[in-house]
Amino acid sequence: MPVWLITGGFVEIEIIPPVSDPHFFVLRASRGIGLGLVQALAQDPENAVLATCRNPAEATELQAIATASEDLINVVQLDHEKPESCQQAATEAEDLLGELPIDYIINNAAFHPGHAPLASVPLPVFQRTLVSNVVGPTLVYQSFYRFLMKSDRPVMVNISGGAGSIGMDLGPSAGAYSVSKAALNML
C-alpha cells in the first residue's frame, strides 16, 4: 500500500511491510500541506485519520472531507504548543481509537517568523519559533507515544526542509526558522 508523504510535492513511497488498515495522525490538517495530505489519505478507504487543527469549527474544508469519509477521518482539536491541549487530544484519540494504534504521526505544524538574520530576531519571536517547531512536536510525541507503540510499524514523520539542513548551509537569512528546523531534524 503506498503512503503519501509530502516534501515539496507529493512523493509516493512504499512502506515494506505495509500496515493493513493504517491509522494516521496529522497535525495542522486544516490548510496547506496538512489538508492536502488528508485529502490524499481520504482517497483510500483503508486509511483512518485523526486530523488535528487549532479551531475545528473554522476548518470547513477539513470538516467537509471528514463528513464525506464515513467516519474514517475524525477532526480533533489540538494546539501542539500547549501541553494541556496535547493531553486533551490524546484523551479524545483514546475515545476514538480504543485499543487501536496510531501507525503514523505526521508532524506538519510549524511557525515561520519570516526571513531575518538570527542577530536581528527578537527573543520572544525566537522562543515562539522553537516552541512551535521543536517543543510542540516533542509534546505530541510524548502525548501519543503510547498509541505509536501499539503499532507493528510505528512511524513519526517531521516535515522539514532545506532551511533545517546543516549540509545545505542556506546562510543566515532564515535564522530562527533554520535553527528550529535543524533541531526538529534531530527528533
Side-chain angles (χ1 to χ4, degrees):
M1 179 197 89
V3 175
W4 296 92
L5 300 180
I6 301 173
T7 55
F10 285 102
V11 177
E12 184 175 352
I13 62 170
E14 292 289 331
I15 292 187
I16 303 171
V19 174
S20 61
D21 300 323
H23 291 85
F24 292 83
F25 184 85
V26 180
L27 275 78
R28 197 171 174 191
S30 61
R31 62 189 180 118
I33 292 172
L35 183 61
L37 180 57
V38 171
Q39 288 169 330
L41 291 170
Q43 301 305 308
D44 186 339
E46 290 186 13
N47 295 332
V49 180
L50 297 178
T52 73
C53 61
R54 286 187 174 146
N55 299 304
E58 296 176 12
T60 55
E61 282 186 80
L62 180 59
Q63 293 289 359
I65 295 167
T67 299
S69 77
E70 300 179 15
D71 294 327
L72 288 174
I73 297 174
N74 290 281
V75 179
V76 176
Q77 193 281 326
L78 173 65
D79 182 341
H80 75 289
E81 296 176 13
K82 298 179 180 173
E84 63 279 359
S85 181
C86 291
Q87 288 306 312
Q88 287 175 318
T91 298
E92 187 172 347
E94 191 167 34
D95 292 343
L96 290 166
L97 294 172
E99 291 301 313
L100 295 171
I102 291 175
D103 301 295
Y104 306 97
I105 292 179
I106 312 296
N107 172 33
N108 173 58
F111 173 71
H112 194 307
H115 294 282
L118 192 55
S120 65
V121 175
L123 182 59
V125 173
F126 183 68
Q127 289 170 324
R128 163 86 199 290
T129 306
L130 290 176
V131 167
S132 184
N133 299 352
V134 182
V135 176
T138 303
L139 291 171
V140 169
Y141 176 74
Q142 291 172 337
S143 298
F144 290 88
Y145 178 80
R146 67 181 188 260
F147 299 102
L148 277 174
M149 292 303 98
K150 292 178 184 180
S151 175
D152 293 332
R153 187 165 167 78
V155 176
M156 182 159 176
V157 176
N158 292 320
I159 304 298
S160 187
S165 171
I166 294 170
M168 289 179 68
D169 188 17
L170 298 176
S173 67
Y177 186 74
S178 291
V179 168
S180 72
K181 288 298 185 170
L184 177 68
N185 289 343
M186 296 306 293
L187 288 181

